[in-house]
Amino acid sequence: MSKYYEKLEPFLEKGMALTTATTLIEWDVETAAPMEAEENTTRVIGILSSEFFSAYNNDEVKKLVYKLQETKEQESLTPKQKGIVRELAKKIEELDKIPPKEYREYNEIKARAFGVWTKAKENNRFEDFAPILEQLISYNKKFAKYRQKRGEHLYDILLEEYEPGFHMEQYDVFFEKLKSELIPFIKKISEKKDTIDKSYNEKSYEIEKQKEFSNYLAAYVGFDFNRGIIAESAHPFTTNLHNRDVRITNHFYKNNLESAIFSIIHETGHALYEMGIDDELTQTLLGEGTSMGVHESQSRFYENIIGRSKEFWIPLYPKLVEQFPEQLKEVSLEQFIKGINKSVPGFIRTEADELTYSIHVLIRYEIEKMIFEEKVSVKELPKIWNQKYKEYLGVEPENDTVGILQDVHWSGGMFGYFPTYALGSAIGAQIYYHMKSIMPFEKYLEEGTLTPIRDYLKDKIHKYGKMKYTNELISDMTGEAFNPDYYIRYLKEKYSKLYELEDVTIEE
Ligand code: ZN
């Protein structure tokens, strides 16, 4: 083995241990810690984070990484070691160009921004959030400029962080397609003014019984309780310490049956990805899902393509009715399927149906692009936001709480993240058509046999961790690079059928 790589190993181990410890504390904060713990715990996280920073970003590690990037050294490395060096070099490049003082300042602003945003949202006062949002944007611009290479766009640098290889060049094509194909189609669907009655969803559903069914669903989809646990939190999420300790949460509402059902399927989709990472890679820099988009492709594949299909519910629906006989005895499987897929253009992204969802993302993409590529003042943003909602979805947010203040992302300094949500949905559709062509996909669902589907995804995606990036994964799996046409086709086919549209032509 390369002697330089050998010298690098203790640093990698330390970085891994610090990440694991921080993740565990963060999990505890979200799920179990008492309210007053926050201040002291935040200090501990701060110390661990700066330890992490210096475990990777120090002169010795830098020297080793530069050395290991030389051709001669590269030749002596295994593919796994090469991948680790590549990821480490990326991390160092990110951290190294930012002066530590500014990095600290930025993190302090971020820590404050969440509280400011929460209050502003509560009080419907964008003007209270605007000043700190402006600071967050200017730090992100500044940091991107430090890393900018000649001719590189600032927004591309941010996009690359969440989805390596996907920049405005790719996203522009993708979102233009969504715009031109989906917006007229959504209009057609909403003109149908459907009479789908889903009032059953707001009846009273006992939380304990919901929990039982939620755990049952997780196991049904493939969550391995020997390698993971499920808890509750305000907003459902997934985190992982390694491939044998993957944690997800759910949230229950008494008067919303769907919410917990689709959240648990979604998070289980994320969890299966992390549980499926190869033992060789876990606890290394390659030991997690390759990108936000691919992660979301897995969660949304399970949640929507599988979880909202009729075939999936054929064996399951009787069990749900058994769990809630009073509430559901009058609701047929057909009505339930129409209910869980009902499309209504609305203000809120996280409550959007599958058809209109990506248009919410499109709006955020266009606005972020304006922020980082053009001159637009923060003050103008709510107006632009509302105009776009009106133009694309035909609805105008009645206030900023349900408009521009709805998402937490910007308060956490996350710019360039949103597009991965739509990308993930589209990747999922491409995977779906591919899998349908090589296995009796629908039959498996109808029979309640999800193992072949899960095993295939593990074999083609999960096990690789960060060894492969998005396009390589997709083309190795489907024989074709990312192609948004499948997503358009999927949505049009599905919704034409649900809404009995006759005059829609679907291009093959
Ligand atoms: Zn997700």
Side-chain angles (χ1 to χ4, degrees):
M1 183 167 51
S2 154
K3 67 173 195 273
Y4 298 106
Y5 191 84
E6 215 166 326
K7 282 190 184 155
L8 194 60
E9 278 187 321
F11 293 101
L12 292 167
E13 290 270 282
K14 191 176 171 193
M16 178 274 293
L18 287 163
T19 313
T20 310
T22 314
T23 309
L24 189 54
I25 296 172
E26 282 165 352
W27 160 267
D28 188 72
V29 168
E30 297 286 333
T31 58
M35 209 176 70
E36 288 195 13
E38 197 188 328
E39 209 183 309
N40 293 347
T41 310
T42 307
R43 206 168 57 238
V44 173
I45 292 178
I47 294 163
L48 289 174
S49 306
S50 63
E51 277 296 303
F52 172 78
F53 187 89
S54 53
Y56 287 156
N57 199 30
N58 64 58
D59 291 342
E60 199 174 345
V61 171
K62 271 185 236 168
K63 253 187 252 158
L64 291 170
V65 169
Y66 294 144
K67 193 79 203 160
L68 284 162
Q69 284 177 308
E70 288 172 9
T71 324
K72 191 172 140 270
E73 284 302 318
Q74 282 280 307
E75 280 162 5
S76 72
L77 298 177
T78 64
K80 177 183 153 190
Q81 291 169 339
K82 255 187 226 169
I84 289 170
V85 170
R86 180 193 69 216
E87 292 304 315
L88 185 56
K90 266 170 85 171
K91 265 195 195 326
I92 291 174
E93 198 261 335
E94 265 169 46
L95 299 171
D96 200 30
K97 300 226 163 101
I98 300 168
K101 190 175 153 271
E102 288 180 12
Y103 188 72
R104 221 176 19 249
E105 282 164 7
Y106 174 61
N107 278 312
E108 280 163 20
I109 292 170
K110 271 205 307 196
R112 263 192 303 124
F114 179 73
V116 175
W117 167 76
T118 309
K119 270 222 184 81
K121 183 179 173 183
E122 236 170 66
N123 301 331
N124 183 32
R125 285 177 58 88
F126 179 75
E127 61 271 36
D128 293 350
F129 181 53
I132 205 159
L133 176 61
E134 218 165 308
Q135 282 182 301
L136 291 166
I137 290 170
S138 85
Y139 271 94
N140 270 279
K141 280 189 181 167
K142 193 148 69 167
F143 292 171
K145 270 187 196 138
Y146 289 140
R147 301 171 53 198
Q148 191 173 30
K149 296 186 187 85
R150 249 180 108 127
E152 209 177 7
H153 285 270
L154 288 187
Y155 191 39
D156 280 341
I157 295 168
L158 302 175
L159 291 169
E160 169 78 19
E161 264 180 58
Y162 301 100
E163 199 63 40
F166 280 77
H167 304 145
M168 283 188 282
E169 197 189 331
Q170 288 78 17
Y171 279 127
D172 280 348
V173 176
F174 173 46
F175 282 113
E176 273 312 312
K177 192 143 225 169
L178 296 187
K179 209 164 152 176
S180 63
E181 295 276 346
L182 289 184
I183 290 175
F185 184 73
I186 289 169
K187 211 164 159 241
K188 236 184 214 169
I189 295 280
S190 55
E191 273 162 8
K192 280 214 84 173
K193 300 209 184 327
D194 71 70
T195 48
I196 296 168
D197 175 17
K198 60 180 294 183
S199 55
Y200 64 85
N201 192 51
E202 279 99 56
K203 286 183 179 168
S204 176
Y205 294 89
E206 212 184 299
I207 303 279
E208 275 313 307
K209 286 191 151 187
Q210 286 198 50
K211 259 183 227 173
E212 256 175 54
F213 192 74
S214 164
N215 286 343
Y216 173 79
L217 260 182
Y220 184 89
V221 173
F223 190 84
D224 181 350
F225 282 87
N226 293 319
R227 290 174 160 221
I229 53 171
I230 303 179
E232 280 177 60
S233 66
H235 302 283
F237 69 94
T238 301
T239 192
N240 64 298
L241 308 184
H242 44 76
N243 69 354
R244 279 146 210 277
D245 192 345
V246 180
R247 301 172 178 221
I248 62 178
T249 68
N250 202 358
H251 189 86
F252 301 93
Y253 301 91
K254 208 171 166 88
N255 297 101
N256 187 347
L257 174 67
E258 266 179 29
S259 173
I261 288 180
F262 292 102
S263 291
I264 198 69
I265 303 177
H266 182 96
E267 300 309 328
T268 301
H270 282 304
L272 290 177
Y273 195 172
E274 295 298 338
M275 286 172 171
I277 304 265
D278 203 279
D279 282 338
E280 279 285 303
L281 300 178
T282 196
Q283 293 193 300
T284 75
L285 289 174
L286 302 171
E288 56 181 2
T290 192
S291 69
M292 300 317 300
V294 177
H295 236 299
E296 219 41 39
S297 83
Q298 300 304 288
S299 56
R300 296 183 69 80
F301 182 79
Y302 274 102
E303 177 195 344
N304 294 322
I305 295 178
I306 290 183
R308 291 182 202 268
S309 72
K310 185 175 174 189
E311 290 79 8
F312 177 73
W313 283 101
I314 288 175
L316 270 175
Y317 190 61
K319 292 210 168 61
L320 183 64
V321 178
E322 206 177 287
Q323 190 77 345
F324 301 106
E326 272 313 299
Q327 297 91 323
L328 294 175
K329 63 173 183 259
E330 305 281 307
V331 182
S332 67
L333 173 63
E334 278 66 29
Q335 191 189 342
F336 179 72
I337 297 301
K338 285 199 166 168
I340 59 178
N341 286 296
K342 186 178 168 84
S343 175
V344 186
F347 310 135
I348 309 287
R349 176 183 61 86
T350 54
E351 289 167 13
D353 56 84
E354 206 183 345
L355 179 61
T356 56
Y357 183 80
S358 58
I359 304 301
H360 293 262
V361 179
L362 158 75
I363 292 169
R364 287 150 179 79
Y365 172 71
E366 290 189 345
I367 292 179
E368 287 189 344
K369 213 172 121 175
M370 289 171 80
I371 294 175
F372 289 95
E373 296 298 313
E374 296 165 32
K375 288 221 169 350
V376 56
S377 76
V378 166
K379 221 173 66 201
E380 296 169 88
L381 294 179
K383 207 177 113 206
I384 298 171
W385 180 284
N386 293 349
Q387 274 167 355
K388 288 192 185 289
Y389 265 83
K390 180 121 209 257
E391 189 186 338
Y392 300 161
L393 286 171
V395 294
E396 203 164 357
E398 43 209 36
N399 56 52
D400 291 336
T401 301
V402 295
I404 194 163
L405 286 172
Q406 67 181 273
D407 296 301
V408 65
H409 302 63
W410 290 347
S411 78
M414 289 191 272
F415 300 94
Y417 185 117
F418 283 122
T420 66
Y421 288 129
L423 180 70
S425 305
I427 294 171
Q430 186 167 354
I431 292 173
Y432 168 61
Y433 283 105
H434 164 67
M435 286 178 81
K436 258 166 72 115
S437 75
I438 56 157
M439 61 171 77
F441 193 84
E442 264 84 24
K443 192 170 144 270
Y444 285 148
L445 296 182
E446 260 179 64
E447 289 170 352
T449 327
L450 271 72
T451 318
I453 295 172
R454 199 167 56 239
D455 288 349
Y456 189 75
L457 291 171
K458 181 177 172 181
D459 191 48
K460 297 290 175 189
I461 298 178
H462 304 169
K463 72 174 185 194
Y464 290 106
K466 278 189 197 287
M467 283 290 283
K468 291 185 185 181
Y469 287 158
T470 312
N471 256 329
E472 190 185 356
L473 273 175
I474 302 173
S475 16
D476 287 354
M477 180 187 206
T478 69
E480 194 184 345
F482 171 65
N483 178 352
D485 291 348
Y486 292 104
Y487 183 45
I488 309 280
R489 174 176 163 198
Y490 163 75
L491 289 172
K492 285 193 176 175
E493 278 182 2
K494 177 169 178 174
Y495 278 86
S496 303
K497 207 168 147 206
L498 274 162
Y499 280 82
E500 290 153 31
L501 291 188
E502 287 103 24
D503 56 341
V504 171
T505 43
I506 291 137
E507 288 155 42
E508 283 294 318

